[in-house]
Each structure stands twice: as C-alpha cells, then as structure tokens.
Amino acid sequence: MAEEKASKEKKEKFADPAQASADPASQQMIARAQELGIDTAFDRAERLKPCNIGRQGICCKNCSMGPCRLPLPKEGIQGEDTRKGVCGATANTICARNFIRMVAGGAAAHSDHGRGVAEVFLAAARKENDNYKIKDPIKLKIVAEALDVDTTVEVDGEVKDRDIDEIAVETAEAAINEWGKPHGELIYAKRAPKPLYEKWQKLGVVPRNIDREIVEIMHRTHIGVDQDYRNLIKQGSRAAIADGWGGSMLATDLQDILFGAPYPVQAEANLGVMKEDYVNLVLHGHEPILSEMITAAAQSKEMIDYAKSKGAKGIQIGGMCCTGNELLQRHGIPPIGTFLQQELAIITGACDAMIVDVQCIMQNVASVANCFHTKLITTMPIAKMEQENTIHIEFDEDHAMEDAKKIVKMTIDNYENRKAEVMIPNETAIQVAGFGVESIAYHLGGTFRGTYDTLLANVLNGRIRGIAGVVGCNNARTKHNEGHVEVVKELIRNDVLVLSTGCNGIACAMEGLMSPEAAGVYCGPGLQEICETVGIPPVLHVGSCVDNSRILLAATEVANAAGCDICDLPVAGSAPEWMSEKAISIGHYFVCSGVYTVFGVTLPVSGAPVFQDYLFKEFEKLYGGMWDLEVDPIKHAQKMIAHIDQKRKDLGIDKARETLLKDMAESNKLA
Ligand code: SF4
Ligand code: MSK
C-alpha cells in the first residue's frame, strides 16, 4: 500500500521519460534530471494543468472589470450564443481579439529581430561597423531589386553596374524604412504571385508598414474598439502578412547578405554532439548577429589555444533552437536540441556556458544552471533574467568581437569548474541542411539553369505528389518530437516533399530524415527517385523561424513557373507541436498566402465555434487557404495529403500521377 502510494506520488510529480519524449537522448536526460532532483518542463507540465477556458481562447482580461471567462455550455451552443463579458463582448469578439493579439506578439518578435538585423546592416553598409561586412553581394543585388533600388546606372547611353557600396547603403535605408514609413505599402507584398497580391488588395489587407499593423492590433483589441470578429481577424491578416512578407522576409534577406545565403552543409544533430573533453559552449535563441560573432571568436586560434591551455581538447559549439538553425545553415555547426531540450543540455553536466539572446529561452535554464557549474549568460537589454546566478554581458554591435571574446573566454575559464558527473547521451544523427530559395533552384535546376521548372515538372508528372512546409516548436503538452517525425514520415512516405524550419528541422535531423539516405528508407517511390537522382534529402531544412519566408518565396517560384497562385498548388502547411505566438503568426501568414495549414496539440479558438468556422471554412473563400487542427499525427498528415490530392485534381494533374505510379509498378515488376 505504502509502495503504491509512493509510486502514485511519483507518477503525479514526475513525467515518465518514455512518454514525455520520442527521443532516446532526451529520455535519458529527463531520467537523469529526476535522479538529481532537478525540475524540467516535462515534469512541470505534469503538475500544472492548463486552464481549459484559456485553452479555448474565451477568457478576456483586457480590462479590470474582468477577467471574463465564457465557458461553452456542457450541452454545447443550442440556438443563439448568449455568452457575454461584463462589457458585452461576445465569445467571438473575445476569441478573435485573443487570437490576433497572439499574431501581434509573434509578428513583433520576428519583426523586431528583423529590425535589429536591418540596423546592423545599415551600419555595415555605411562602414560604421568593422565587425560586420557584406558577405553575399549576389544576394544584395537580388534584395536591392526587390526593394526597388537600382543596381545598374546608365552612363553615356551605356548600362553599367552600380557601385556595390552605394547599392548597399540604399538597400539598407529602403529596408529600414519598411518598419515605419508614413505612406505607401509594404514593398515586398509585390513579391507574392500577382493573383495573391491582387487578392490582398481587394480584401484591403496589404500592409502599410510593419510596425503600424502590430500597433493597430493592440489598439483595436483594447476594450470598446473593434467588436466584429471578421474585422478583427482582417487586421490579424494584415499584421501576419507584414510579418511573413515583411519583418521575417527582411530578416532572412539581410542576414543572408551579411552572413551568406545558405548552401548545403553536412552536420550532426542532438545532445550527443557535446564532448566531455572539450569546452562546450551552447548558443541559444534566435539572432545570428550575436551567434555569428561568438562562433567566429570561438573558432579563432587564439581561443582554441586558450582552451587547450586549460586542459580541453578544443571548443565544441552547439546551437539550440533557431540560433542552432542559423549556425547550421551557414557554418555546419551542429544543433544540439529543440526547444524542449534546453534544460537537458545543462543536465549533461558538460555545458560550460549557455549564451542566450531572445525568444524561446525558458527562464528555468537559469535555475538548472544553478545546480551545475554552467554559466548562464544573457546578452540583450530586452531579455534579462531575475535569477542571481545569471550573468548579463550586454552585446554591443560596435564592440561585437570584443564582447564575443569576453564571453568565450569566460566559458573556457569555466571548463575546470565542472563539479557534477558528466553524462552526455550517445545519440547523434547526420544531416544535410542549408537549403535556401537559391540552393533549391540550383539543386533541382542544375548549375546553368537554376530554376523551379524541374521541381514543377516533377510535381506535374506526379513523382512529387505535393510540397509541405512543416515547421514550429515543441510543446510540453504533447510527446516531444513525436508529432514532428510522425507527420513528416507519413508525408514523405506518400511522396510529399517537405520543407522544414525551426524546431521541426532539428527534430527531423535527429531522426535521420535529413540525410540523402533517408530517401531509400522512408520515401514513396516517386520522391525516392527524385531525391536519389538529385542527391537531396526528402526533408529540406530551410532554416530558422524567420526563414519561413523562404517557404513563401519557394512556393511563389513554383506558382510563377506554373502561372498560377499559391492556393492553386498542391501544397500544405503544418506545425505539429506548436506553442509560441510566433507560430500563430506564421500559421496565419501561411493561410493568408493561400496555404491549407494544420496545427497539432490545440488551437485557442474552439471556445467560439462561429469564429473557428470562419478560420477553418470561410477563410478559404477569401484567401484560398484555411486553418485546421488535428492532434493525431497520421490523420494530420493524411488531411494535408487529401488537400494536396484535391488540388492535383483541380489542376487536372491527378491522372498523370496515377499513370506514373502504374508505370513504376510495371517497371518494378520487370526489374
Ligand atoms: Fe470583460 Fe469586456 Fe473587460 Fe474583456 S474587455 S475583461 S470581456 S469587461
Ligand atoms: S525556436 S518559436 S520553439 S520553432 Fe524558433 Fe523552436 Fe518555436 Fe522557438
């Protein structure tokens, strides 16, 4: 009896590692944390039950007469929905307000990140900062043209290339202007396929500038302003478009100019990348402005020699979350974990410092670090932590290398302070990552004909059934990485090529889905043939959260090659384990760009069925794309495939695939 009680208590307090994560390395570390009596998100999720009303999106705390909670009646809505807050706000109004405030939060995070990059880019273009330089002049010209900056000049009737420094300064100024210009509209909106841009014009959702759309959400959701869910979500759409086609796209573009557009690189992934006899430096967060500089410092001979002088064999850099993706795609630095693995990296006992900037950093990493020798270093004035053991070294772009060396030196000095027994899981997997819009064209088009025509041709002939963007976070309310890998496996098994970003990218890499060899193991025959012929993995890692803009541009390339709109293509989007407001903004700009988008776990709209229906059904009539929710990963993927098949049918290319599959079966019989 006592034993039973003890085991019941244990069950209530701690997560079962095998149920909490699909990844053996994480299971091992969750168990290790429990053995050491250290709390992780997996255990806290067991103890803290989510509020059911908030989860359904129907709790309002926008004024002090509330919070007003409008639970659904047990028997469901019979007849008129009479639920109201004190001010009379309906469930639809409350739910739509909450939803677009999430869009505002996500769009603000992506776009403020983009603004920071734009400011550094301007300083680099004006040569006011020696630490950052223009690394990719080819990309600079592409971006300049997209921002209506001339790249050529006519001299005496002859067209000549303009001076690259002049182009850089004008491009930087034009880019920065997009955040707060007083007139006009977002220039990048015209990068969308023409029919999509015209649709946005007709619907009145072409963004004016990036900041304004976010601020207007906060205004319109204040008590007593916008009280029509259709009008509220219209502003949510405008802000989400300003994120995907504005703040995020500019962040990606300007980062590529400063640090180089990604090209395929090979790297390992997962916690097993850490090395016991090396200084382990973990970079966590989102902005490459910081991580690029720290990487350069950590890879310098001076720092490696210093690490050796302290008895280490060298310095192992590991990336966490989207910083991991940024470093991976440009330098082949291995990502050591997804969002839910950040505490686990410290629990190895081998993390000498975790250096963080912004977004997706759990405050508890400071508490976990306090149980080890790990230094937890915050670097941004907008992202500090209250715990006393954290060290704040403010990263100043003007002294970037100096600051970076100081941080790396502090990490090395901490190597000899390791106190706990080191336990690093063995698991790693090999991946090929670093696929941008340019490198996909190169891979599928060839050196001299880098185009999307080949990709389109293989979609048309059915070898590739469709294209899916699978993205997003981990969520402690669902088994770590299970949704990511199961959705993706089901898609590629059915010949759907996957473009992946964010934590999905890391999860797929950890599962071995991003190696070219994965094609022979997991893919349907059509996708396998393409991957093996071209030498690409069936899941293409296109980068970090802001790099979802690469998916928009890749879809645009395919739509333009086909002469249609994105919503006509056999494409679908997915975030199987989302948790952040950024994911909602991403999901919404996918939808507003014409993509059927399925989320896993939950969506905070179920408490207002009319508003939910508007997003799930009516939106398709407006934008061509719509939201959906499916928790089961296989059904989730199958819904995407059904949508893809419907689009193939609408385009009249369903027969081509059937014939091709028959031919393949025939030739397999002969072989
Ligand atoms: Fe309640 Fe209205 Fe205030 Fe929201 S704005 S808390 S619904 S009174
Ligand atoms: S890091 S936003 S948990 S994908 Fe971009 Fe991962 Fe989601 Fe953060």
Side-chain angles (χ1 to χ4, degrees):
M1 194 66 187
E3 257 177 40
E4 224 175 74
K5 194 174 164 231
S7 119
K8 190 164 175 270
E9 264 175 19
K10 188 163 187 277
K11 256 194 203 153
E12 278 168 5
K13 280 191 174 163
F14 298 105
D16 173 354
Q19 292 307 314
S21 175
D23 164 46
S26 300
Q27 290 171 2
Q28 192 186 337
M29 284 298 102
I30 296 166
R32 173 70 174 155
Q34 291 171 352
E35 198 181 290
L36 297 171
I38 300 170
D39 204 42
T40 67
F42 298 95
D43 303 314
R44 292 189 295 278
E46 286 295 309
R47 283 177 232 139
L48 270 173
K49 292 297 165 204
C51 161
N52 203 30
I53 298 169
R55 202 173 160 88
Q56 295 175 54
I58 38 173
C59 171
C60 180
K61 56 177 179 57
N62 291 9
C63 88
S64 74
M65 294 190 286
C68 297
R69 301 167 0 131
L70 309 189
L72 276 168
K74 274 204 185 69
E75 61 290 358
I77 308 283
Q78 313 282 334
E80 199 190 339
D81 185 352
T82 53
R83 294 173 296 159
K84 282 179 187 154
V86 174
C87 67
T90 64
N92 290 328
T93 296
I94 289 173
C95 202
R97 285 200 304 219
N98 289 338
F99 191 81
I100 70 169
R101 278 195 173 201
M102 291 186 86
V103 170
H110 287 145
S111 299
D112 214 30
H113 164 168
R115 184 203 319 272
V117 181
E119 284 167 354
V120 171
F121 174 51
L122 180 62
R126 287 181 177 159
K127 301 200 188 307
E128 293 166 356
N129 185 328
D130 279 350
N131 295 299
Y132 300 93
K133 299 214 159 36
I134 282 149
K135 198 165 173 185
D136 197 332
I138 298 173
K139 183 89 186 209
L140 170 61
K141 285 191 179 176
I142 296 171
V143 174
E145 278 163 19
L147 285 168
D148 299 335
V149 172
D150 290 334
T151 54
T152 54
V153 62
E154 209 180 304
V155 183
D156 301 332
E158 206 185 319
V159 178
K160 291 188 170 164
D161 283 344
R162 273 185 81 194
D163 177 72
I164 202 78
D165 291 338
E166 264 176 44
I167 298 175
V169 173
E170 274 182 38
T171 304
E173 286 169 351
I176 282 197
N177 208 25
E178 290 300 280
W179 269 266
K181 62 186 178 188
H183 308 292
E185 60 182 37
L186 188 76
I187 299 174
Y188 270 12
K190 286 210 177 97
R191 288 183 99 177
K194 200 161 172 269
L196 179 57
Y197 172 72
E198 286 170 356
K199 198 181 287 169
W200 290 341
Q201 270 189 322
K202 206 168 126 213
L203 291 166
V205 293
V206 177
R208 293 156 290 185
N209 68 52
I210 299 163
D211 287 348
R212 180 167 182 178
E213 306 311 349
I214 297 165
V215 170
E216 193 168 306
I217 285 186
M218 299 313 286
H219 179 187
R220 284 164 74 157
T221 55
H222 186 277
I223 180 176
V225 186
D226 202 349
Q227 297 172 109
D228 174 354
Y229 66 92
R230 291 158 295 214
N231 207 38
L232 282 159
I233 193 67
K234 181 176 161 187
Q235 180 55 21
S237 302
R238 189 147 56 164
I241 296 166
D243 174 1
W245 295 86
S248 284
M249 198 171 278
L250 281 163
T252 298
D253 279 346
L254 304 183
Q255 285 169 183
D256 282 356
I257 296 171
L258 283 175
F259 308 123
Y263 275 86
V265 283
Q266 183 170 308
E268 288 184 298
N270 212 344
L271 293 167
V273 159
M274 296 172 82
K275 295 194 182 86
E276 182 164 2
D277 41 12
Y278 278 60
V279 171
N280 287 294
L281 183 155
V282 176
L283 284 160
H284 177 16
H286 278 78
E287 296 186 353
I289 296 292
L290 167 83
S291 56
E292 282 279 334
M293 228 19 91
I294 292 186
T295 299
Q299 290 179 336
S300 69
K301 186 171 178 313
E302 178 193 350
M303 286 296 141
I304 294 169
D305 287 347
Y306 186 61
K308 286 182 179 164
S309 77
K310 296 286 176 177
K313 285 191 177 154
I315 303 171
Q316 176 66 49
I317 309 169
M320 181 67 70
C321 281
C322 280
T323 286
N325 292 322
E326 297 285 3
L327 291 173
L328 166 71
Q329 65 182 343
R330 296 197 182 89
H331 302 285
I333 301 271
I336 61 166
T338 58
F339 172 71
L340 276 179
Q341 288 172 285
Q342 53 190 286
E343 293 163 301
L344 308 183
I346 301 175
I347 285 159
T348 59
C351 176
D352 299 304
M354 180 176 277
I355 297 123
V356 304
D357 54 22
V358 290
Q359 300 168 24
C360 303
I361 297 139
M362 289 190 199
Q363 189 171 351
N364 201 57
V365 285
S367 306
V368 178
N370 210 19
C371 305
F372 294 87
H373 76 301
T374 307
K375 298 235 184 276
L376 199 287
I377 304 173
T378 57
T379 55
M380 294 289 149
I382 65 161
K384 297 185 177 182
M385 287 188 190
E386 71 184 56
Q387 286 99 322
E388 278 177 10
N389 64 308
T390 57
I391 301 163
H392 186 74
I393 301 179
E394 199 140 311
F395 187 71
D396 172 357
E397 288 89 13
D398 292 334
H399 309 109
M401 191 38 94
E402 231 171 274
D403 292 345
K405 282 190 178 167
K406 185 172 163 191
I407 291 169
V408 175
K409 188 168 177 298
M410 187 178 275
T411 310
I412 296 169
D413 286 337
N414 200 30
Y415 174 71
E416 59 194 14
N417 296 331
R418 288 188 192 171
K419 46 191 182 195
E421 187 195 333
V422 168
M423 188 189 277
I424 302 172
N426 284 328
E427 279 75 13
T428 61
I430 291 286
Q431 63 178 322
V432 174
F435 291 90
V437 177
E438 300 80 5
S439 57
I440 293 174
Y442 163 72
H443 264 273
L444 290 162
T447 311
F448 302 108
R449 53 189 175 89
T451 82
Y452 275 70
D453 292 350
T454 323
L455 179 58
L456 175 65
N458 283 295
V459 171
L460 293 177
N461 69 27
R463 278 187 175 79
I464 296 175
R465 187 175 192 158
I467 304 168
V470 188
V471 309
C473 328
N474 287 143
N475 186 317
R477 300 288 176 203
T478 186
K479 190 171 184 174
H480 169 236
N481 282 3
E482 184 179 66
H484 283 312
V485 300
E486 293 308 319
V487 167
V488 169
K489 279 183 184 170
E490 184 66 7
L491 289 170
I492 61 177
R493 194 175 73 76
N494 285 283
D495 292 322
V496 176
L497 177 71
V498 173
L499 306 186
S500 167
T501 63
C503 289
N504 178 271
I506 305 171
C508 288
M510 284 160 56
E511 187 69 11
L513 302 177
M514 285 180 167
S515 73
E517 293 71 33
V521 183
Y522 298 105
C523 290
L527 184 58
Q528 179 184 347
E529 191 184 332
I530 299 294
C531 292
E532 288 177 346
T533 308
V534 181
I536 54 168
V539 186
L540 302 181
H541 197 321
V542 294
S544 67
C545 294
V546 291
D547 295 334
N548 283 305
S549 57
R550 298 191 202 278
I551 299 182
L552 296 178
L553 289 179
T556 299
E557 293 279 356
V558 180
N560 289 343
C564 65
D565 196 354
I566 293 174
C567 65
D568 301 320
L569 297 172
V571 302
S574 157
E577 300 181 30
W578 79 280
M579 62 86 201
S580 72
E581 291 170 326
K582 290 184 290 171
I584 291 290
S585 183
I586 293 164
H588 202 57
Y589 70 64
F590 270 27
V591 167
C592 295
S593 303
V595 181
Y596 169 62
T597 303
V598 191
F599 270 37
V601 193
T602 182
L603 260 184
V605 293
S606 56
V610 173
F611 175 58
Q612 175 172 293
D613 260 22
Y614 193 67
L615 291 179
F616 284 24
K617 294 183 187 141
E618 295 301 306
F619 242 69
E620 189 179 14
K621 296 177 200 152
L622 300 171
Y623 294 89
M626 65 288 200
W627 281 88
D628 206 348
L629 168 70
E630 179 52 65
V631 179
D632 179 89
I634 302 300
K635 287 188 195 153
H636 184 118
Q638 282 301 336
K639 280 183 160 188
M640 296 166 74
I641 293 165
H643 176 81
I644 283 169
D645 284 350
Q646 184 58 50
K647 291 293 166 185
R648 294 192 68 85
K649 203 167 167 205
D650 295 346
L651 284 169
I653 54 171
D654 49 332
K655 296 282 178 297
R657 177 171 162 79
E658 281 162 24
T659 316
L660 176 88
L661 290 180
K662 223 167 102 202
D663 285 355
M664 279 177 167
E666 290 304 318
S667 59
N668 284 347
K669 259 190 246 162
L670 293 174

